Amino acid sequence: MSTDTKAAATEMVKMNGMQAINAALVEAMEADPKVLVLGEDVADREGGGVIGVTRGLSTKFGDMRVRSTPISEQAIIGAAIGAAMAGYKPVAEIMLMNFTTVAMDMIVNHAAKLRFMSGGQSQVPMVIRTLTGAGNQTAGQHADFYEAWFCHTAGIKVVIPWTPADFKGLYLSAIQDPDPVMIIESGKTLFVPMETPANQGPIPIGKAQVVTEGSDLTIVSYGQMMFTVMQAVGELAEAGVSVEVINLRTISPWDKETVLASAEKTGRLLVVHEAGRNFGPGAEIAATVQETLFGKLKAPVGRLGAPYCSVPFAKKLEDAFLVQPPEIVAEAKRLAAMG
């Protein structure tokens, strides 16, 4: 059990990611009347969001604080930016990550840059929440991981939770952050029930979690790919390979200190993510570790990610597109055999 989980573990309850997000929003909205929720179909009369994450909020807090919007991503983000600059703390939902493309100008040129371009006179304390991830045959316009785009944009933080505890803790922190935070919800993480501290508090943005300690290899991952990693780690343990697993949680700014300390200890690093391997976040992590620990590593840094293509619809192709446990096991064994 990780240190931050131990600290909160007075009572454990079973919940999934959706319930954890809802609980975080309720807690934040009860504590601060300036917290707002807006997006397509987020109010109860439309079902509480595309998968029901915000169900119950408009009934509890009213339609003025939980606003269903037109189908216009630019309008959603633009309204959230204006509200944030006026002193509110909006949580804006963009239904699917692919649809952030419609609002890129608002996100990249306005939300992310207003603090810098105003010389620090303006703050934009807003959360953008969005859903994505392959595995459910939603295909190429509904399932891409584009976190690298936003990691490349100064002024916005990028968070991808794995566990319900991650969701609640990171949402609580994101809502209180003075800058824009994008929270990317990856499909499977929302539906899998897990034991969660009943009183889970904020989890610092930019701080990773060491899930398991090991001595032969460090694996860094995040989001729903963590389930795949943990399955592979079980197989590796049976093969005698001791793996230290890091749940990155925040992709930008990422926790260099934790990753570098672990990689120096084990001498080997493998980064696994669902996003494309080409130009993915793993490339930045690998380059930083290689530059910082050159001469201390026992093997080159390994990377696994999706191939350079759109997310397929056909199930067999989609399975081939995603990193699978056998690939992780094979790459981990290859790295562990070096040095």
Side-chain angles (χ1 to χ4, degrees):
M1 184 181 290
S2 64
T3 303
D4 58 332
T5 303
K6 284 180 181 177
T10 54
E11 178 188 354
M12 303 298 286
V13 295
K14 184 162 280 192
M15 64 171 65
N16 61 27
M18 292 194 298
Q19 293 168 318
I21 298 168
N22 189 282
L25 291 172
V26 168
E27 186 172 320
M29 295 178 80
E30 286 179 338
D32 188 348
K34 294 290 189 179
V35 178
L36 312 175
V37 173
L38 69 157
E40 297 167 24
D41 301 334
V42 296
D44 287 337
R45 63 178 176 273
E46 289 89 22
V50 64
I51 56 173
V53 169
T54 54
R55 191 168 294 148
L57 296 185
S58 67
T59 299
K60 185 176 181 66
F61 298 103
D63 290 339
M64 291 298 292
R65 293 183 66 193
V66 183
R67 304 282 289 186
S68 285
T69 66
I71 302 174
S72 174
E73 287 78 13
Q74 280 188 315
I76 294 167
I77 300 301
I81 293 169
M85 293 182 71
Y88 289 89
K89 298 174 182 177
V91 179
E93 178 183 328
I94 300 298
M95 188 180 292
L96 294 169
M97 191 167 197
N98 287 75
F99 303 161
T100 60
T101 56
V102 184
M104 286 295 278
D105 178 54
M106 287 292 177
I107 298 170
V108 172
N109 284 326
H110 296 277
K113 295 180 180 177
L114 278 167
R115 180 200 277 267
F116 178 78
M117 296 185 72
S118 69
Q121 297 178 79
S122 297
Q123 293 184 340
V124 190
M126 61 181 285
V127 175
I128 302 170
R129 54 175 296 256
T130 192
L131 171 65
T132 196
N136 298 296
Q137 292 186 271
T138 53
Q141 294 176 327
H142 298 82
D144 286 297
F145 265 92
Y146 287 140
E147 67 269 30
W149 288 354
F150 300 102
C151 291
H152 196 64
T153 302
I156 187 167
K157 295 166 182 154
V158 181
V159 170
I160 306 183
W162 169 38
T163 66
D166 287 352
F167 274 109
K168 188 176 180 193
L170 290 167
Y171 260 93
L172 290 173
S173 291
I175 290 168
Q176 298 305 320
D177 199 279
D179 293 310
V181 180
M182 177 175 285
I183 301 183
I184 303 167
E185 302 163 10
S186 50
K188 188 177 179 182
T189 60
L190 294 172
F191 302 101
V192 177
M194 301 176 75
E195 291 292 325
T196 306
N199 61 341
Q200 178 65 57
I203 292 173
I205 291 174
K207 183 63 179 173
Q209 175 194 28
V210 178
V211 180
T212 64
E213 295 188 358
S215 57
D216 296 326
L217 169 72
T218 299
I219 296 181
V220 173
S221 191
Y222 51 86
Q224 66 182 10
M225 193 52 63
M226 282 292 300
F227 290 114
T228 308
V229 166
M230 296 308 293
Q231 184 178 337
V233 166
E235 297 179 34
L236 287 165
E238 293 177 2
V241 179
S242 175
V243 179
E244 184 148 300
V245 177
I246 295 177
N247 170 25
L248 200 56
R249 286 176 168 166
T250 304
I251 318 307
S252 180
W254 63 283
D255 188 351
K256 296 178 186 178
E257 182 180 346
T258 296
V259 174
L260 287 169
S262 178
E264 184 172 6
K265 180 180 80 170
T266 65
R268 304 174 183 89
L269 174 66
L270 173 61
V271 187
V272 183
H273 53 59
E274 186 173 331
R277 185 181 185 277
N278 290 21
F279 305 99
E284 172 63 21
I285 296 170
T288 300
V289 172
Q290 200 77 40
E291 289 167 358
T292 307
L293 300 179
F294 185 74
K296 297 181 179 180
L297 297 174
K298 300 172 184 176
V301 178
R303 291 187 291 138
L304 291 174
Y308 194 53
C309 73
S310 297
V311 180
F313 171 75
K315 186 60 179 170
K316 287 186 177 180
L317 292 177
E318 186 181 47
D319 288 344
F321 173 87
L322 288 166
V323 176
Q324 300 292 345
E327 296 174 70
I328 298 173
V329 170
E331 181 66 1
K333 286 182 177 179
R334 184 185 75 82
L335 294 173
M338 300 176 71

